[in-house]
């Protein structure tokens, strides 16, 4: 992913939520052993536990639509912070839920990125 | 600030928003030359420019109230990611605005932390 930061962030976000909405278990490839997820205040550590959490959420079908994507470099190690806001439509629900989520992307030796930090919150009205 | 991560995050958040709501110009002490702010999509670099941005926002009096604070270590450099959601009440407005904000805190040689990354978004309904 050798591209400008905003394009990188948008490409990641599109890939992440498309994968989430179609085959959540494949998100495992984006996390590693030391990855952290805080989902609505619940802390989960490691790719396997994170994907277990995501695949056992109390809804099956969902669709994310993205409102904003912001991106900043996180320091000398070459990481990127990606901050997302959007709507989450659950199957069978009349109204979409607003959410905010941040990712900390760390470069891999293979020239790609993995998610070290992931924090998700619904924005209740 | 030698304390547990959640206490550190909450202490930072309380300090940040109390300072914002009472004497915004003093937030300069929390940023450094390389600090980045993305405020509603607008990118600002460096302590001086960031505080100029924050002190020239189109409202004078405001009050932040915090709904959630999440915190994760950001990697081997000893940094912390702090993710906040809350309400922003502007003076003279009937309804509070919902917001989400993330901070990347980096340890200083003096044993404290500064803000390397700051991303702010209003959550429009």
């Amino acid at each position: 992913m050798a591209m400008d930061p905003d394009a990188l962030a948008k490409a990641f976000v599109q890939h992440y939520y498309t994968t989430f909405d179609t085959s959540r278990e494949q998100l495992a490839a984006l996390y590693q052993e030391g990855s952290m997820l805080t989902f609505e205040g619940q802390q989960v550590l490691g790719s396997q536990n994170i994907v277990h959490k995501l695949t056992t959420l109390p809804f099956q079908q969902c669709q994310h639509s993205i409102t904003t994507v912001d991106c900043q470099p996180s320091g000398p190690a070459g990481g990127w912070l990606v901050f997302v806001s959007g709507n989450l439509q659950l199957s069978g629900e009349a109204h979409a839920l607003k959410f905010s989520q941040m990712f900390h992307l760390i470069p891999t030796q293979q020239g790609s990125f993995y998610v070290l930090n992931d924090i998700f919150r619904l924005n209740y009205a």
Side-chain angles (χ1 to χ4, degrees), chain A:
Chain A
M1 288 208 266
M3 48 178 83
D4 80 78
D6 287 335
L8 181 151
K10 283 185 179 143
F12 167 78
V13 165
Q14 183 170 22
H15 175 63
Y16 184 88
Y17 293 111
T18 299
T19 305
F20 196 114
D21 294 347
T22 56
S23 48
R24 237 177 282 173
E25 71 285 354
Q26 293 187 27
L27 292 173
L30 296 176
Y31 298 94
Q32 293 191 2
E33 279 305 296
S35 297
M36 290 161 271
L37 166 68
T38 306
F39 188 92
E40 286 286 282
Q42 186 186 351
Q43 298 183 29
V44 185
L45 176 65
S47 176
Q48 191 173 347
N49 294 327
I50 289 170
V51 172
H52 178 74
K53 173 67 184 175
L54 296 178
T55 54
T56 56
L57 290 171
F59 54 84
Q60 291 301 312
Q61 288 193 305
C62 63
Q63 185 161 11
H64 293 80
S65 61
I66 304 310
T67 307
T68 64
V69 178
D70 296 307
C71 178
Q72 291 181 358
S74 67
W80 292 94
L81 294 165
V82 180
F83 187 91
V84 182
S85 70
N87 293 286
L88 174 57
Q89 180 68 54
L90 303 184
S91 179
E93 297 289 330
H95 299 289
L97 303 167
K98 300 189 76 61
F99 73 92
S100 299
Q101 189 163 14
M102 62 143 292
F103 302 95
H104 187 195
L105 306 183
I106 303 291
T108 64
Q109 290 187 338
Q110 294 76 35
S112 186
F113 291 87
Y114 77 95
V115 178
L116 174 60
N117 304 95
D118 179 352
I119 302 179
F120 175 94
R121 279 283 179 184
L122 292 172
N123 301 132
Y124 291 106

